[in-house]
């Protein structure tokens, strides 16, 4: 270990401490995954208890997404004024109250309102947690650390699928919702002892406090001094600008980062991932599976999501964000095209249910191991400090707005086009996403946040103008 590595009150090595910080903060991702994914197993019970048609089911399902758009935008003010850590604690409190309200809902409108409030916490956590981890992480490990959030989402989705399967016989949907209060409280308590963001501290003229934080997560004092100096230089430039925040986002030099980041956010959801998670049991029942078999198959899809996001976490710093997306999206397109053909033309006969499951799992392999790993990570890296809070809010709002659009229309689209036609539509959206990333999204692996910002200033941000960085080698 480097000689200055142990300036740490808790005696943890910097890498270990940083991993602990990322793990605790990423609990918010598990809440997001569980609270959005649990509707898959709970919706049949809810529809039966409240006698809901398919449009009412869409409303209950999509209410959390509408809340997430609002939460993503409103949390920008809190994160800028109070800091990342305090905002995460507020989000954890909202999670706790909202899941209990949903569990106690006396009717569908109350349930939709509770899920809207739950969405505020979901949107807030997705706006702030990746940024919090990214602002603490060393550049060469930033991808693997930020994607703890993705892995935690996968764990939450898997737990939701497990509870959905068990709940078919053992639990009511109210217990399925209410159990999430436990990790919500644990997140709130865990964040009390964690450090603040050093970049936020420097931005608020507290460089000594920022240096103290960085000493816990960097190996040497030289690294700490260099980063603090870099941050102070960037803050100095911000102070010289006539506009900051939302108004600053209109400046031409920021446009490439906003287009790239918001585009990735949109295609992360327009690729169809959340819609698949929410409605897999419904699609499988339409394909001939019984209710129990459909839930077990949804569990397999959730396991695939978790495994592939973990694999993506392990390789994203070496392969690169842009390259990983470009390699994986074609596999997702192929899976959706085949799935659409199987369903539309009834190609597999009696084996159709198993072809459907196979295509869904293949889609999950390529989608969750590719653009899903990159979506939140890109937002945490690509925006300059002067607009980071506001841009991250817009990033999360774009992601949740796209999710709301897709999920809120999924059952209507499948009724209009058939499930097969809907799969072809989503394949086309994946193809558009590949073209967008190829043309407009640069590689950010192994680069400091300040270096990415300089590339914008120097006009070398876009892929065709960028000096290709060397992948980090362990």
């Amino acid at each position: 270990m480097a000689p200055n590595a142990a300036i740490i009150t808790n005696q943890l090595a910097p890498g270990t401490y940083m991993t602990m910080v990322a793990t605790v903060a990423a609990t918010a991702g598990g809440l997001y995954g569980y609270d959005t994914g649990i509707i898959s197993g709970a919706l049949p019970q809810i529809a039966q208890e409240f006698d809901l048609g398919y449009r009412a089911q869409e409303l209950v399902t999509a209410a959390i997404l509408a809340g997430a758009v609002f939460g993503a935008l409103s949390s920008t003010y809190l994160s800028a004024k109070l800091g990342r850590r305090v905002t995460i604690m507020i989000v954890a409190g909202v999670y706790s109250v909202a899941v209990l309200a949903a569990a106690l809902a006396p009717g569908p409108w109350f349930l939709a309102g509770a899920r809207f409030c739950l969405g505020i916490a979901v949107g807030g956590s997705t706006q702030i947690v990746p940024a919090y981890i990214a602002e603490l992480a060393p550049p060469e490990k930033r991808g693997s650390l930020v994607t703890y959030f993705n892995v935690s989402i996968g764990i939450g989705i898997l737990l939701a699928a497990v509870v959905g399967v068990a709940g078919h016989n053992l639990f009511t949907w109210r217990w399925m919702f209410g159990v999430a209060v436990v990790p919500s409280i644990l997140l709130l308590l865990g964040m009390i002892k964690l450090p603040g963001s050093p970049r936020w501290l420097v931005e608020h003229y507290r460089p000594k406090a920022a240096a103290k934080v960085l000493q816990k997560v960097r190996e040497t004092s030289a690294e700490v001094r260099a980063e603090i100096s870099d941050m102070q230089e960037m803050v100095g430039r911000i102070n010289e600008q006539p506009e900051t925040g939302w108004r600053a986002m209109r400046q031409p030099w920021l446009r490439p980062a906003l287009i790239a980041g918001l585009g990735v956010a949109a295609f992360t959801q327009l690729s169809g991932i959340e819609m698949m998670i929410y409605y897999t049991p419904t699609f499988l029942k339409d394909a001939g599976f019984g209710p129990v078999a459909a839930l077990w198959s949804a569990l397999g899809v959730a396991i695939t999501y978790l495994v592939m996001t973990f694999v993506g976490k392990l390789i994203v710093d070496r392969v690169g964000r842009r390259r990983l997306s470009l390699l994986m999206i074609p596999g997702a397109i192929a899976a959706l095209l085949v799935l659409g053909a199987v369903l539309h033309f009834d190609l597999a006969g009696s084996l159709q249910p198993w072809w459907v499951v196979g295509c869904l799992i293949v889609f999950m392999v390529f989608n969750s191991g590719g653009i899903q790993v990159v979506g939140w990570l890109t937002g945490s890296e690509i925006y300059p400090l002067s607009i980071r809070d506001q841009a991250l809010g817009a990033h999360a709002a774009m992601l949740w707005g796209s999710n709301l659009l897709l999920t809120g229309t999924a059952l209507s689209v499948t009724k209009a086009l058939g499930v097969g036609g809907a799969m072809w539509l989503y394949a086309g959206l994946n193809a558009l996403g590949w073209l967008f990333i190829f043309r407009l999204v640069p590689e950010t692996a192994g680069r400091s946040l300040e270096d990415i910002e300089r590339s914008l200033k120097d006009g070398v941000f876009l892929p065709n103008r960028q000096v290709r960085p060397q992948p980090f080698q362990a």
Side-chain angles (χ1 to χ4, degrees):
M1 184 181 297
N4 295 310
I7 317 175
I8 306 169
T9 57
N10 53 16
Q11 298 301 309
L12 289 177
T16 303
Y17 185 72
M18 186 64 235
T19 299
M20 183 196 73
V21 170
T23 302
V24 173
T27 303
L31 287 165
Y32 150 32
Y34 183 86
D35 290 324
T36 55
I38 193 61
I39 194 67
S40 177
L43 189 58
Q45 288 189 23
I46 294 170
Q48 183 177 8
E49 179 173 334
F50 294 137
D51 191 26
L52 303 181
Y54 78 90
R55 291 196 181 278
Q57 292 179 50
E58 285 181 338
L59 172 65
V60 170
T61 301
I64 196 171
L65 308 179
V69 176
F70 180 80
L73 293 173
S74 60
S75 64
T76 61
Y77 176 82
L78 293 177
S79 64
K81 294 298 181 183
L82 302 179
R84 311 341 181 187
R85 184 181 71 92
V86 174
T87 303
I88 295 172
M89 293 172 65
I90 293 172
V91 163
V94 176
Y95 266 126
S96 301
V97 174
V99 293
L100 290 177
L104 298 173
W109 287 105
F110 191 99
L111 176 59
R115 282 178 58 78
F116 179 88
C117 294
L118 189 57
I120 294 174
V122 169
S125 65
T126 54
Q127 185 268 343
I128 196 60
V129 173
Y132 171 73
I133 298 172
E135 291 182 350
L136 278 161
E140 69 276 9
K141 297 180 180 179
R142 189 173 59 242
S144 63
L145 287 166
V146 172
T147 50
Y148 270 91
F149 185 71
N150 301 70
V151 173
S152 186
I153 293 171
I155 293 172
I157 291 171
L158 177 59
L159 289 175
V162 170
V163 171
V165 170
H168 184 74
N169 294 313
L170 299 178
F171 305 123
T172 68
W173 63 268
R174 298 181 185 277
W175 280 102
M176 294 183 195
F177 285 155
V179 71
V181 72
V182 176
S184 303
I185 294 173
L186 291 177
L187 173 62
L188 176 60
L189 296 176
M191 290 302 301
I192 292 174
K193 293 292 186 180
L194 295 190
S197 161
R199 284 170 173 81
W200 184 86
L201 290 169
V202 169
E203 191 177 8
H204 288 76
Y205 307 105
R206 297 169 61 188
K208 290 183 179 179
K212 188 176 180 180
V213 169
L214 282 178
Q215 285 170 349
K216 298 181 179 182
V217 292
R218 296 295 184 270
E219 295 289 344
T220 68
S221 294
E223 289 179 275
V224 174
R225 288 193 297 269
E227 287 197 46
I228 293 295
S229 176
D230 226 7
M231 293 176 201
Q232 288 178 313
E233 178 187 344
M234 286 299 171
V235 170
R237 292 185 182 182
I238 292 171
N239 292 336
E240 294 173 359
Q241 295 178 12
E243 294 180 323
T244 58
W246 291 108
R247 291 184 178 181
M249 291 172 68
R250 299 177 298 182
Q251 297 178 43
W253 72 276
L254 293 168
R255 198 168 298 140
L258 290 169
I259 291 173
L262 297 180
V264 168
F267 284 112
T268 298
Q269 297 304 319
L270 293 177
S271 63
I273 185 77
E274 299 283 359
M275 181 274 301
M276 293 292 189
I277 292 170
Y278 299 153
Y279 294 120
T280 288
T282 301
F283 292 153
L284 292 176
K285 281 190 287 185
D286 290 344
F289 277 70
V292 176
L295 288 173
W296 276 104
S297 299
L299 179 60
V301 169
I303 292 172
T304 304
Y305 181 96
L306 175 59
V307 170
M308 291 309 301
T309 51
F310 185 76
V311 171
K313 164 189 157 42
L314 295 178
I315 66 175
V316 69
D317 280 320
R318 288 175 170 79
V319 175
R321 290 69 158 134
R322 180 174 183 270
R323 186 182 180 197
L324 183 63
S325 298
L326 294 177
L327 287 173
M328 298 294 275
I329 290 175
I333 295 171
L336 290 173
L337 290 174
V338 173
L339 177 58
V342 167
L343 292 170
H344 187 76
F345 297 111
D346 195 19
L347 296 179
S350 61
L351 295 177
Q352 176 172 296
W354 299 108
W355 272 88
V356 171
V357 171
C359 288
L360 284 173
I361 289 177
V362 171
F363 169 78
M364 275 290 176
V365 166
F366 286 100
N367 188 277
S368 58
I371 196 170
Q372 297 307 316
V373 173
V374 171
W376 297 114
L377 177 57
T378 298
S380 71
E381 296 179 324
I382 210 166
Y383 304 118
L385 184 61
S386 61
I387 62 164
R388 187 166 297 153
D389 290 301
Q390 295 76 18
L392 282 169
H395 186 96
M398 175 66 78
L399 196 146
W400 287 112
S402 302
N403 193 338
L404 175 62
L405 174 65
L406 219 66
T407 304
T409 60
L411 297 181
S412 299
V413 168
T414 55
K415 285 186 177 294
L417 302 179
V419 180
M423 295 305 107
W424 288 339
L425 174 63
Y426 301 139
L429 291 172
N430 276 265
L432 287 176
W434 189 95
L435 289 171
F436 180 88
I437 292 170
F438 180 76
R439 294 294 303 273
L440 297 172
V441 180
E443 185 57 73
T444 56
R447 303 168 62 191
S448 72
L449 300 180
E450 289 72 28
D451 179 55
I452 296 168
E453 181 167 342
R454 287 191 194 95
S455 71
L456 272 168
K457 285 280 191 181
D458 296 340
V460 292
F461 178 82
L462 294 176
N464 61 343
R465 299 181 182 179
Q466 187 181 45
V467 176
R468 187 179 300 275
Q470 295 299 314
F472 170 72
Q473 299 294 330

